[in-house]
Amino acid sequence: MVIEKTAPPKRSLKTLFTAEELFCLPADERRLELVKGKLYEMAPAGGRPGRVAMRIGRLLDAHVELTGLGQVFAAETGFTLQRNPDTVRAPDAAFVAQDRMPPGETPDGYLALAPDLAVEVISPNDRPREVREKVADWLNAGTRLVWVIYPASRTVAVHRPPDSVEELGEVDTLDGADVVPGFYCRVAELFG
């Protein structure tokens, strides 16, 4: 008997994913973002960053509900920022002006737009390079204001396109400028 050796069948390994494929992945304990078609697992937030994210989200939502300016979205809400290859980012909080929201009910899937405001709360395990990449992705996609909140130093970096950055400390006031008109709070309130 002669046994012929044959090469194992070639497997097609998926290297790039789409936003739709990411959305259809089974829900489990992993937080995933899609960057230029590649999946990246995000570690869950720790206690202090999670609390800060909740505080800024609550403050924003209260203001937006009162004024009817638009909608505020919680952490892990996906925004499709780029296609072919796809990028889906999920900030810790986000605001979209009412006139930019899709007509009708808010969609179940990812929003196919950049938020007007994206908020990133930094955890101890976040790498500075990755934070810079996220901010660049937001701004390049059309986000008009990005707040990067650093609980460890109790500071906020305010980013505006194309490359303006303002550093705020606890005694300073964080405001929504023309993006979220009328919103303001002392930076210290975020860490209370």
Side-chain angles (χ1 to χ4, degrees):
M1 175 184 202
V2 176
I3 299 175
E4 292 184 25
K5 281 190 165 184
T6 59
K10 290 187 178 186
R11 293 187 312 156
S12 173
L13 297 177
K14 185 144 185 71
T15 55
L16 295 180
F17 287 80
T18 66
E20 292 75 20
E21 290 168 323
L22 172 62
F23 189 75
C24 290
L25 288 177
D28 58 20
E29 69 281 350
R30 298 178 308 159
R31 293 178 54 213
L32 298 171
E33 284 188 329
L34 186 65
V35 180
K36 295 181 181 162
K38 294 182 182 178
L39 293 175
Y40 289 88
E41 188 168 350
M42 312 303 291
R48 182 168 41 172
R51 179 74 178 129
V52 170
M54 183 65 190
R55 289 181 73 85
I56 190 63
R58 183 175 47 79
L59 291 168
L60 274 170
D61 193 53
H63 176 73
V64 169
E65 282 287 319
L66 184 66
T67 59
L69 290 172
Q71 295 184 26
V72 175
F73 295 90
E76 300 184 37
T77 301
F79 291 86
T80 303
L81 303 180
Q82 175 184 315
R83 290 291 194 169
N84 299 320
D86 293 2
T87 295
V88 176
R89 291 284 194 182
D92 293 307
F95 164 77
V96 178
Q98 194 62 46
D99 63 347
R100 294 191 58 243
M101 285 299 300
E105 263 189 61
T106 304
D108 287 331
Y110 303 132
L111 292 163
L113 53 77
D116 294 284
L117 166 67
V119 180
E120 296 287 352
V121 180
I122 304 306
S123 295
N125 58 345
D126 286 333
R127 294 181 177 95
R129 178 184 55 81
E130 292 169 352
V131 173
R132 286 191 304 273
E133 288 171 359
K134 280 186 179 187
V135 169
D137 282 349
W138 292 120
L139 295 175
N140 291 335
T143 299
R144 300 181 325 162
L145 186 61
V146 179
W147 294 338
V148 180
I149 303 173
Y150 295 90
S153 63
R154 300 172 74 88
T155 60
V156 178
V158 178
H159 298 263
R160 291 183 180 87
D163 56 6
S164 168
V165 182
E166 180 184 7
E167 298 289 333
L168 302 177
E170 285 186 89
V171 298
D172 296 315
T173 299
L174 178 64
D175 71 77
D178 62 338
V179 177
V180 189
F183 175 85
Y184 61 91
C185 72
R186 292 201 37 158
V187 170
E189 286 182 61
L190 302 176
F191 310 110

